[in-house]
Amino acid sequence: LIRHSTYQQMRKDKQKAIELRQLGKSYKNIQNELGIPIGTLSGWFKNVTWSQEIKQRLSAEVSLTNHRALESMVKANKERWKKKYEEYQREAVQEFEKLKNDPLFLAGMMLYWGEGEKQKKSSFVRICNSEPAMLKIIYLFFIKTLKIPPEKIHAWLLLYPDLVDSVQKNFWSKTSGIPQDCFKKSIYIKGRSPRKRLSYGVCTIFISSRALKERMLKWIELYQNNLQSLALFY
């Protein structure tokens, strides 16, 4: 009697599941409504042609929904960063008015304008040179004028094979003021001519900051506009 009752209940559950499936419900929907395990439903409908067609349609709808959701997320992310960039640039305009008469600010901007990386897609504020005195000005510009924490500033050396890494780092640290613990692993290259080469290599100093990069580019633009305005008086 118990077995018969259980069998009858299974038949009723299966019939309800079939009705729901024919309405286009997913296994998950049917499970939530009837409490039937997804494995059981999969076994019931495994070789049923019309159920497989529903499965394909549901999969296509999920794929389309996910694609639209992804597109929406990408669009929202772009809009969010666009607003961020605009905010950074507005801040740069305000800061420029306060800093434009500071000699160290002007020196740093001129050097970066001439030697720094200005690619808009890059988040690196990066400048490299073989002159320690120039990088000393840039380093002071970062920590004194822009108040960048020293631990956010990094450097690395481009060296020839016969140069000793520790000796060169010590030299650059003393002459530029950049702490030795800011230096990353040096890169060694083989020069084209053994007679013409830089005795202490080339030093690159960089900061990874999208906010600072946007501000730097805006300051250069504003400085250019100022120079063009001054040129009209000559």
Side-chain angles (χ1 to χ4, degrees):
L1 181 63
I2 294 175
R3 288 182 179 177
H4 180 72
S5 176
T6 302
Y7 176 73
Q8 289 293 333
Q9 183 61 45
M10 285 183 65
R11 287 191 61 184
K12 289 180 181 179
D13 287 346
K14 186 172 184 179
Q15 185 57 42
K16 290 179 181 177
I18 290 172
E19 292 172 1
L20 291 173
R21 186 62 170 172
Q22 287 176 333
L23 291 174
K25 299 291 185 178
S26 67
Y27 291 165
K28 187 67 175 179
N29 294 146
I30 298 172
Q31 181 191 45
N32 292 338
E33 191 164 336
L34 302 179
I36 301 173
I38 289 178
T40 300
L41 294 170
S42 179
W44 285 348
F45 297 112
K46 183 178 181 181
N47 298 316
V48 180
T49 302
W50 58 263
S51 178
Q52 293 301 312
E53 292 174 354
I54 290 173
K55 180 180 179 181
Q56 291 174 4
R57 177 172 58 78
L58 290 173
S59 296
E61 289 175 356
V62 169
S63 178
L64 181 61
T65 301
N66 288 343
H67 179 68
R68 287 175 177 170
L70 181 60
E71 284 184 339
S72 179
M73 287 175 61
V74 170
K75 184 178 179 181
N77 193 48
K78 285 183 178 179
E79 286 297 318
R80 181 172 64 87
W81 277 110
K82 182 182 177 182
K83 289 180 180 179
K84 274 285 186 184
Y85 296 161
E86 290 172 351
E87 180 185 340
Y88 297 149
Q89 291 170 13
R90 284 194 299 270
E91 291 175 355
V93 172
Q94 295 173 356
E95 291 167 333
F96 185 78
E97 290 304 312
K98 298 177 182 178
L99 297 171
K100 64 182 182 181
N101 295 319
D102 181 343
L104 184 56
F105 175 75
L106 293 178
M109 286 307 305
M110 286 293 288
L111 289 174
Y112 196 86
W113 185 8
E115 301 289 338
E117 180 189 295
K118 294 175 282 291
Q119 294 181 19
K120 292 185 177 181
K121 292 184 178 181
S122 170
S123 295
F124 284 108
V125 175
R126 177 163 45 201
I127 185 169
C128 63
N129 206 270
S130 59
E131 292 292 335
M134 195 198 81
L135 290 188
K136 183 175 184 178
I137 293 173
I138 285 291
Y139 183 68
L140 290 174
F141 165 69
F142 287 151
I143 64 172
K144 298 292 185 183
T145 303
L146 305 186
K147 309 300 182 185
I148 306 295
E151 62 271 17
K152 299 290 185 181
I153 303 171
H154 306 287
W156 59 273
L157 301 178
L158 187 66
L159 304 174
Y160 289 98
D162 60 333
L163 297 178
V164 180
D165 183 66
S166 59
V167 173
Q168 309 315 315
K169 285 180 179 177
N170 182 61
F171 166 80
W172 280 97
S173 180
K174 285 185 176 180
T175 54
S176 68
I178 304 171
Q180 283 205 41
D181 56 7
C182 290
F183 282 85
K184 301 291 185 181
K185 185 178 180 180
S186 298
I187 296 177
Y188 279 89
I189 61 168
K190 185 176 181 180
R192 294 181 180 178
S193 172
R195 295 181 181 180
K196 295 181 180 180
R197 62 183 182 78
L198 301 169
S199 300
Y200 296 98
V202 178
C203 181
T204 295
I205 181 170
F206 66 96
I207 301 167
S208 179
S209 171
R210 187 72 233 183
L212 181 57
K213 185 61 173 288
E214 289 293 324
R215 288 157 65 203
M216 293 287 286
L217 294 177
K218 189 63 179 180
W219 288 334
I220 291 173
E221 178 189 327
L222 293 170
Y223 192 55
Q224 284 178 301
N225 292 340
N226 271 18
L227 290 177
Q228 289 172 0
S229 298
L230 288 173
L232 296 177
F233 292 97
Y234 292 93

